Amino acid sequence: MPPFDPEKAKKVLKGGEDLPDLVISQLKDLISTISKLYHNNSFHNFDHASHVTMSANKLLQRIVTPAAQENGEFLKEAHEYTFGLTSDPLTQFAIVFSTIIHDLDHSGVGNPQLIKEKNRLASMYGGKSVAEQNSIDLALDLLTSTTYSDLLSCICADEEDFRRLRQLVINCVMATDIFDKELLTLRNNRWKKAFNENDEWTPDLKATIV
């Protein structure tokens, strides 16, 4: 996460800045295009992605509380307490974007079966988080297309911002692969590191994400 910036934190607290009409139009078109890349599966469909997105957004609203005071010390404490999430709009966007694209182009067949059938995608991604990697590639290719250049420029100020956005999206979507034992171990270790049972803040921190 980037270092604490009090001015940026205040902007986030106020809800950010108004977007130009062109950017809003591109954002709407992007979501519409994403919806059309979902298949009519019984579960891994656009309805499911929309529900996950609304849930993630609600959780973010509970963490990035609009009721907070614009006190510099409070904002800095909130930044540290939430691992920088409250004052980093790029991470907030990455989380919401990841939820809406996490099952993009999903065939309705799980990774183990795709690997067993030697599906084209399974071969392409070496049998590793097949559906997830496909969703990530399609979504990032779409976002970086010239059709959404103004939107992307609004999200990322420079190449460094885009590299961070890309990595955040990869981390979020890959975390949805519940069958990969290696990723499961990694997630469990991260949980233990973030929520140390010996830390007096642990119960409150867990409450912010449950």
Side-chain angles (χ1 to χ4, degrees):
M1 290 290 192
F4 175 68
D5 183 333
E7 293 305 314
K8 182 183 287 186
K10 287 180 181 179
K11 285 184 179 180
V12 173
L13 194 63
K14 291 178 179 178
E17 301 178 357
D18 292 335
L19 298 175
D21 290 341
L22 179 59
V23 172
I24 294 175
S25 176
Q26 290 185 5
L27 177 58
K28 289 180 178 178
D29 185 78
L30 175 65
I31 299 303
S32 176
T33 303
I34 286 172
S35 71
K36 294 171 185 174
L37 291 175
Y38 273 86
H39 301 300
N40 190 27
N41 301 317
S42 58
F43 181 73
H44 298 97
N45 51 46
F46 188 65
D47 283 348
H48 162 67
S50 298
H51 295 157
V52 176
T53 301
M54 288 187 287
S55 297
N57 187 57
K58 186 63 176 179
L59 286 171
L60 283 173
Q61 288 175 347
R62 292 176 66 86
I63 297 171
V64 187
T65 169
Q69 300 298 313
E70 292 185 32
N71 177 279
E73 284 301 314
F74 174 84
L75 292 174
K76 188 174 189 302
E77 182 178 326
H79 172 88
E80 295 172 351
Y81 190 73
T82 61
F83 302 98
L85 184 59
T86 55
S87 53
D88 185 21
L90 187 63
T91 297
Q92 294 173 30
F93 173 83
I95 292 171
V96 174
F97 182 70
S98 297
T99 57
I100 200 68
I101 62 95
H102 79 278
D103 276 334
L104 197 65
D105 193 41
H106 200 293
S107 64
V109 178
N111 288 333
Q113 188 62 30
L114 291 174
I115 296 169
K116 182 179 179 180
E117 295 175 355
K118 298 182 180 180
N119 181 275
R120 175 185 61 84
L121 291 177
S123 300
M124 182 185 301
Y125 296 113
K128 181 79 172 178
S129 301
V130 178
E132 291 76 15
Q133 291 202 69
N134 180 52
S135 296
I136 292 168
D137 282 347
L138 288 175
L140 291 178
D141 283 348
L142 186 62
L143 180 61
T144 55
S145 67
T146 55
T147 304
Y148 307 110
S149 57
D150 296 280
L151 172 61
L152 185 60
S153 295
C154 187
I155 298 166
C156 301
D158 49 36
E159 282 296 322
E160 182 180 350
D161 270 359
F162 178 72
R163 284 194 293 270
R164 194 158 69 86
L165 172 66
R166 180 179 181 275
Q167 191 59 57
L168 286 166
V169 171
I170 290 172
N171 289 347
C172 287
V173 178
M174 291 292 280
T176 67
D177 184 356
I178 62 175
F179 293 107
D180 190 294
K181 293 182 179 180
E182 184 180 337
L183 287 176
L184 176 61
T185 300
L186 180 63
R187 286 193 294 271
N188 288 341
N189 288 338
R190 283 179 174 175
W191 176 273
K192 291 176 182 178
K193 182 179 180 180
F195 305 114
N196 189 330
E197 294 298 339
N198 297 321
D199 192 329
E200 61 180 358
W201 276 10
T202 294
D204 292 335
L205 282 171
K206 284 182 178 178
T208 65
I209 64 170
V210 172

